[in-house]
Amino acid sequence: PVALKHGAHRVGKRTDADMAKWRSYGLGQFIHWGLYSILEGKYNGKYYNGAAEWIRSWKEVPHAEYDSLYKQFNPENFNPTQWAKMAKQMGVKYVTFTTKHHDGFCLWPSQYTQYTVANSPYKKDIVKQVVDAYTKEGIDVYLYFSVMDWSHPDWRTDLKTKEDSVAFDRFKLFTKNQLTELLKMYPQTKGLWFDGTWDTSWKKSGAFSDSLEQHLKSLIPGLIIGSRLRADEFGNRHNDANGVLMGDYEQGWERKIPKTYADVHGNDWDCVMTIPENGWGYAEKWLGHWKTSYECIEMTTQCVSLGGNFVLNFGPKADGTFRPEEITVAKEMGDWMKVNNAAIYDCEYANCEKQDWGYFTKKQNDDKIYMVVFNVPINGSLKVKLPKNTSIGKASLLQAPSTVLSTEQLDYNASYIQLPKGMKPTSPFVIVIDTKQQSQVETEQKAKT
Ligand SMILES: C[C@@H]1N[C@@H](C(=O)NCc2ccccc2)[C@H](O)[C@@H]1O
């Protein structure tokens, strides 16, 4: 292995209680809200076909125009309690909220810049209101922070000259100061979700990113920070020069989901996902397909079945309200989670091979296995293959525990589960199976002879 001073400081998953809590979440909410929400993905009557929160980078938008949008920011319908209650009903266990996106506008009254909500007509501290309201609903709060800051004169995409390095040193101190004040002002923060760290300037700042991470963790012990913050001293990101993941979980799954367990390399990970095809900030027009609650339920299940968390994004309008499509997705997911959350919360990879009818999840610290069924074969019987020497003890419906399902054993680790005759599922449902090991089976069979 390569001798590294600023690579990963741990091999394998964190084993502390704070990380165990993170690992148990299953479902989270992302919220992207900022000045881009005012433009709604369009400018001068033309629609931007990129991600709406990137509209400042569109050639049609003069930077000075964009940067003066803060003078209009006054979300009169912003009601953080309503936001938190919608999230609670949806069944999310944590929220990740944009404190500062790439445009550099701060939704908290930072003392290190004038470009903040304190200087908008709204004036009040939005981050505080979100942190307090979600914490009150029992939802853990994580803060999104973009290192890349298009508004800051000292931001550099690369460090080509001495001047670049002198400026970027000032920028790094500014970044450290802002993050320090965020953790001091909002000590309930459970973790930081970093973004905007792909440029060469940051790849050349591996040692700084390492000391910054350690500094932040000294302010809030147990703080959870993903792999997107760090670079090692050779400019490697996510995995260091020895292929070891830096940070507490892998943050590479943006708008994509791993196909197999092998793809997650034994790491903790989250998948962050948009309801439209792309775009995190509010856009008046959603281009292409946007996801139904059914698709979001399947993605949540898929992520939990591979040991990760699914974090679904909501982009409120500039006035603080959510669009109907997002309200509907939250409501319908919540209705499903109300009945089926046992297969999502505190669950992990079941180490069973994927089968056509849906996904396996397994209760952490327990042998209970859940089958979340999305596809019922025409003959109404589900073929279930379990790990070697493992067979079904009892199969029952999560939503009707007294309904025991008839199972026909094919061999030690395969069975057919027959659905009850009259059962006509109209939404994904969960079968709970108590497993038994082959040695148990043999004992029972011997007892019979
Ligand atoms: C969470 C999202 N990340 C921001 C972004 O710039 N994504 C572009 C990107 C896409 C894939 C890997 C790294 C970066 C988007 O604007 C959202 O904030």
Side-chain angles (χ1 to χ4, degrees):
V2 175
L4 281 173
K5 282 214 295 295
H6 304 295
H9 299 302
R10 187 198 69 254
V11 179
K13 295 177 177 174
R14 264 177 56 173
T15 56
D16 60 292
D18 294 310
M19 198 68 204
K21 176 98 183 290
W22 185 93
R23 198 174 289 130
S24 73
Y25 288 146
L27 178 60
Q29 180 187 47
F30 219 139
I31 294 194
H32 277 73
W33 200 32
L35 300 183
Y36 41 81
S37 314
I38 296 171
L39 293 186
E40 304 188 339
K42 61 186 193 246
Y43 188 75
N44 274 351
K46 276 200 268 184
Y47 287 87
Y48 174 50
N49 66 13
E53 71 287 350
W54 274 74
I55 195 164
R56 185 183 186 276
S57 67
W58 188 22
K59 65 181 183 344
E60 305 287 335
V61 181
H63 289 173
E65 289 276 306
Y66 184 95
D67 294 349
S68 60
L69 285 171
Y70 75 94
K71 295 173 187 158
Q72 300 175 40
F73 192 67
N74 192 2
E76 65 273 2
N77 298 328
F78 172 49
N79 183 326
T81 303
Q82 261 173 19
W83 284 22
K85 288 191 178 306
M86 181 181 85
K88 189 72 179 182
Q89 191 280 335
M90 178 177 161
V92 308
K93 290 287 188 182
Y94 69 125
V95 64
T96 301
F97 182 71
T98 46
T99 59
K100 180 177 91 168
H101 204 261
H102 309 333
D103 61 8
F105 181 66
C106 302
L107 293 182
W108 83 98
S110 173
Q111 61 177 296
Y112 298 102
T113 170
Q114 293 304 311
Y115 196 40
T116 83
V117 65
N119 296 320
S120 75
Y122 183 70
K123 295 198 184 333
K124 288 177 291 183
D125 182 346
I126 285 175
V127 172
K128 175 163 179 44
Q129 293 179 74
V130 169
V131 169
D132 291 347
Y134 276 80
T135 303
K136 193 162 170 231
E137 285 299 322
I139 298 172
D140 285 348
V141 179
Y142 290 68
L143 299 181
Y144 167 105
F145 183 91
S146 174
V147 170
M148 176 169 73
D149 181 337
W150 295 325
S151 77
H152 199 289
D154 292 331
W155 165 255
R156 295 288 184 280
T157 57
D158 195 357
L159 309 177
K160 289 195 160 58
T161 64
K162 178 76 185 129
E163 195 281 333
D164 282 343
S165 297
V166 168
F168 204 63
D169 284 349
R170 287 193 301 265
F171 183 80
K172 289 187 287 189
L173 176 60
F174 162 74
T175 299
K176 179 178 180 182
N177 287 337
Q178 282 206 314
L179 288 164
T180 302
E181 88 176 332
L182 279 170
L183 295 188
K184 288 194 182 324
M185 292 173 76
Y186 317 111
Q188 310 95 313
T189 303
K190 297 285 185 277
L192 295 167
W193 206 95
F194 284 100
D195 206 2
T197 54
W198 43 78
D199 285 315
T200 307
S201 52
W202 196 254
K203 287 180 183 170
K204 289 178 177 174
S205 305
F208 174 77
S209 75
D210 188 9
S211 65
L212 175 63
E213 182 180 67
Q214 294 185 47
H215 164 70
L216 296 171
K217 292 197 169 190
S218 73
L219 299 175
I220 299 186
L223 194 71
I224 294 172
I225 296 177
S227 61
R228 216 175 262 201
L229 171 66
R230 298 269 280 96
D232 71 9
E233 57 259 54
F234 299 112
N236 296 298
R237 293 183 57 240
H238 296 286
N239 295 302
D240 68 16
N242 296 315
V244 183
L245 188 78
M246 294 177 279
D248 299 322
Y249 64 93
E250 197 198 334
Q251 260 181 291
W253 304 100
E254 177 171 326
R255 294 194 303 124
K256 54 185 195 260
I257 297 178
K259 277 231 30 83
T260 68
Y261 191 64
D263 295 331
V264 307
H265 306 292
N267 297 317
D268 283 311
W269 58 278
D270 70 357
C271 160
V272 291
M273 187 59 75
T274 52
I275 293 177
E277 275 171 27
N278 189 13
W280 303 75
Y282 179 77
E284 181 213 299
K285 263 187 186 165
W286 274 352
L287 310 173
H289 170 76
W290 52 89
K291 299 170 189 72
T292 59
S293 54
Y294 180 93
E295 287 170 295
C296 295
I297 288 164
E298 179 158 11
M299 289 182 177
T300 304
T301 306
Q302 195 176 350
C303 289
V304 172
S305 78
L306 292 175
N309 290 330
F310 183 70
V311 185
L312 188 61
N313 181 68
F314 289 73
K317 297 179 186 173
D319 74 346
T321 61
F322 290 100
R323 66 193 310 141
E325 299 89 341
E326 291 186 355
I327 294 170
T328 301
V329 164
K331 175 71 172 71
E332 292 174 355
M333 284 188 79
D335 291 344
W336 187 84
M337 285 293 282
K338 206 182 184 73
V339 173
N340 299 289
N341 67 55
I344 301 296
Y345 297 152
D346 309 301
C347 282
E348 63 187 10
Y349 171 62
N351 191 21
C352 304
E353 79 182 64
K354 176 78 177 65
Q355 283 140 51
D356 293 347
W357 43 261
Y359 306 85
F360 283 110
T361 63
K362 177 184 166 305
K363 191 55 77 185
Q364 292 166 353
N365 316 315
D366 182 320
D367 288 340
K368 222 178 268 318
I369 288 187
Y370 299 97
M371 296 169 49
V372 191
V373 182
F374 290 81
N375 313 300
V376 176
I378 290 175
N379 64 1
S381 84
L382 304 172
K383 182 166 188 179
V384 183
K385 208 152 171 279
L386 290 171
K388 273 197 86 45
N389 313 330
T390 305
S391 65
I392 294 177
K394 186 182 86 160
S396 57
L397 289 176
L398 177 66
Q399 63 199 77
S402 57
T403 308
V404 179
L405 304 176
S406 69
T407 57
E408 178 202 345
Q409 185 137 9
L410 305 177
D411 57 39
Y412 277 134
N413 63 339
S415 304
Y416 273 118
I417 294 182
Q418 189 61 38
L419 295 190
K421 271 284 158 280
M423 186 174 179
K424 293 273 170 285
T426 55
S427 71
F429 63 94
V430 179
I431 295 171
V432 192
I433 52 177
D434 293 324
T435 59
K436 56 187 181 184
Q437 299 314 315
Q438 178 177 357
S439 53
Q440 252 176 293
V441 174
E442 277 178 346
T443 312
E444 281 163 8
Q445 276 168 346
K446 279 203 185 73
K448 280 187 204 136
T449 52

